[in-house]
Amino acid sequence: MNSAAPRRVIIVGLGVMGGSVAKTLKRRAPRTVVFGIDPDDESAALASRDGVVRAHALDDCDLDGAVVVFAAPLDVTASLVRDTAGAWSRAALATDPASLKVPVVEAARPAAQPAPAQPPAFVGAHPMCGSERSGYAAARADLFDGADVWLCPEHDGAPLARAQAFWRLLGGRPRTIAAADHDRLMARASHLPQLLSVALAQSLDDAGIARDVLGPGGRDMTRLAGSSPSMWLPLLEAAHERDARALGALEERIGSVRRMLEEGDLAALARFMERGRRWASRTD
């Protein structure tokens, strides 16, 4: 057994992210007992075939020394974290993979007011990976392999160390950032690509172009358009002002490219493309 593996992990939500946590644990820490909580019978049944023990509530589980993972859409996660604080605060660690952190961290804050020597068990996380598909059937045992995982602790101490160890166990590379800084970053690094992909997909649809005629680049750029609106809408609602500003800046950039093309200014277009190429070369 991996020495960093917890004895028990309770996953609340067995969609792509929660299901991938379960499948990864079965691969990397087979002796860890994994419990799953999900109201969807189909997801619970699929997880049970993979050895996940179904539970109906956190209070039904032995939380001593356990890790709790909240893996639901943002609004549901925030409500669950707030409403079940009396349970998860008894765990060694509680964490979540939601891609905005301030709403979840704020939901966890009133959960427990521990003594200064005992920081709260909750450490919000955001693994930079995922899928445009949804449900347990789309979960993967290698989803977190090599992925950066942003951790947003409010305190140093044992829970942060446990969160780092847990996400490393899953194959991730933990990085620490303040929750507010994380959410500002995600408006451009995550939400903007998602919205651009949807807009591009709709533009192609308006032109009568099917996705199956696209080349690899076009398929890559429109892949995110297949993501679940029910997962994204709570995120976009929570970050709507930042996302709108990011889109406004992108609109200005696209407008400048349109003017270069209308005016036949190939020199400006070359400079524009070269700047993009240099950026892409630095990040590959």
Side-chain angles (χ1 to χ4, degrees), residues 195-239:
L195 293 169
L196 178 59
S197 180
V198 173
L200 177 58
Q202 291 191 22
S203 180
L204 293 170
D205 189 33
D206 289 343
I209 298 173
R211 192 168 186 269
D212 60 9
V213 304
L214 299 178
R219 290 195 296 271
D220 286 347
M221 289 201 60
T222 54
R223 178 181 62 82
L224 294 175
S227 300
S228 168
S230 64
M231 186 276 288
W232 268 102
L233 284 175
L235 299 170
L236 298 174
E237 179 182 15

Side-chain angles (χ1 to χ4, degrees), residues 45-60:
L46 290 173
S48 295
R49 295 176 197 169
D50 289 337
V52 176
V53 181
R54 188 172 189 182
H56 295 283
L58 280 181
D59 284 329
D60 297 338

Side-chain angles (χ1 to χ4, degrees), residues 130-157:
S131 173
E132 72 279 8
R133 299 170 60 203
S134 59
Y136 185 87
R140 292 175 15 219
D142 62 350
L143 184 67
F144 307 107
D145 287 0
D148 287 333
V149 180
W150 293 107
L151 299 180
C152 300
E154 294 211 284
H155 305 272
D156 293 328

Side-chain angles (χ1 to χ4, degrees), residues 12 16 22 50 81 86 123-124 127 138 147 153 157 170 187 201 203 213 241 249 255 264-265 280:
V12 185
V16 169
D50 289 337
V81 167
V123 178
L170 297 179
S203 180
V213 304
E241 292 181 351
D265 191 345

Side-chain angles (χ1 to χ4, degrees), residues 87-164:
W88 63 253
S89 59
R90 303 196 305 270
L93 170 69
T95 188
D96 78 294
S99 62
L100 284 180
K101 299 280 40 112
V102 168
V104 184
V105 168
E106 288 181 347
R109 193 172 292 152
Q113 301 297 331
Q118 182 188 352
F122 191 87
V123 178
H126 176 205
M128 294 294 287
C129 57
S131 173
E132 72 279 8
R133 299 170 60 203
S134 59
Y136 185 87
R140 292 175 15 219
D142 62 350
L143 184 67
F144 307 107
D145 287 0
D148 287 333
V149 180
W150 293 107
L151 299 180
C152 300
E154 294 211 284
H155 305 272
D156 293 328
L160 174 57
R162 292 181 190 126
Q164 291 168 331

